[in-house]
């Protein structure tokens, strides 16, 4: 599976296109974006969120069954190949490890986890299960980043010995209201 500028779910390969079964845990704004791209690359089988109205709405929109418990969803759908982890940051490790141990490949939103120890446990779970663990790093496709990469690939920046990049996000107070954002 590779990542493309039009979404993390494109370019899975012509032989597997539409044959992979996906599930999503975390049906908020990012989960909805994953669902949109999944429909181009496979089948969204199930969605899960602790808020039943959120999982129900997303599931209905994409013809997937909805759940409020991740373990129940995984147990009910042995046909799932890939789980997209789109939950709050502090749950990434727990949800990824659960899915990997169940034999699923995992696409996890950034950040991978909140501690190095959790990241190591996620990697170990993927290795033990023989499954792939992907971490979303979509900024590589932002237009300014892509433009700099193109210049570097064309040799127009000379030989690069070191690089530092700073990315600033403007988040107003409404981004944090009634949300898990800004907390573990």
């Amino acid at each position: 599976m590779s990542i493309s500028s039009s979404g993390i779910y494109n370019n899975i390969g012509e032989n597997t296109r539409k044959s992979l079964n996906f599930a999503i845990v975390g049906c908020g704004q990012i989960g909805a974006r994953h669902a949109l791209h999944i429909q181009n690359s496979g089948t969204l089988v199930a969605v899960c969120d602790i808020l039943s109205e959120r999982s129900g709405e997303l599931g209905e929109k994409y013809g997937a069954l909805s759940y409020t418990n991740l373990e129940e969803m995984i147990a009910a759908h042995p046909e799932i190949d890939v789980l997209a982890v789109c939950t709050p940051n502090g749950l990434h490790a727990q949800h990824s490890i659960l899915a990997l141990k169940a034999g699923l490949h995992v696409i996890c939103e950034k950040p991978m986890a909140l501690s190095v120890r959790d990241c190591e446990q996620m990697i170990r779970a993927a290795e033990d299960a023989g499954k792939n663990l992907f971490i979303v790093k979509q900024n590589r496709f932002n237009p300014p980043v892509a433009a700099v990469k193109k210049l570097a690939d064309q040799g127009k920046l000379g030989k690069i010995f070191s690089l530092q990049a700073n990315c600033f996000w403007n988040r107003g107070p409404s981004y944090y209201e009634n949300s898990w954002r800004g907390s573990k």
Side-chain angles (χ1 to χ4, degrees), residues 150-184:
K150 182 178 179 182
L151 290 172
D153 288 348
Q154 293 171 342
K156 293 183 177 180
L157 300 178
K159 186 172 183 179
I160 299 173
F161 293 97
S162 178
L163 177 83
Q164 178 179 336
N166 296 310
C167 179
F168 298 98
W169 294 81
N170 183 12
R171 301 282 194 217
S174 64
Y175 180 80
Y176 298 97
E177 290 173 6
N178 300 318
S179 172
W180 58 268
R181 294 178 185 102
S183 68
K184 285 188 176 183

Side-chain angles (χ1 to χ4, degrees), residues 63-114:
L65 295 175
S66 63
Y67 294 83
T68 57
N69 181 289
L70 179 58
E71 290 173 332
E72 289 176 14
M73 180 181 75
I74 290 171
H77 296 280
E79 74 276 19
I80 296 171
D81 300 302
V82 183
L83 177 70
V85 176
C86 304
T87 51
N89 303 344
L91 298 172
H92 288 181
Q94 174 188 341
H95 292 157
S96 295
I97 291 168
L98 176 71
L100 290 161
K101 287 183 175 181
L104 306 180
H105 299 288
V106 171
I107 296 174
C108 182
E109 269 294 330
K110 64 177 174 25
M112 182 176 181
L114 298 183

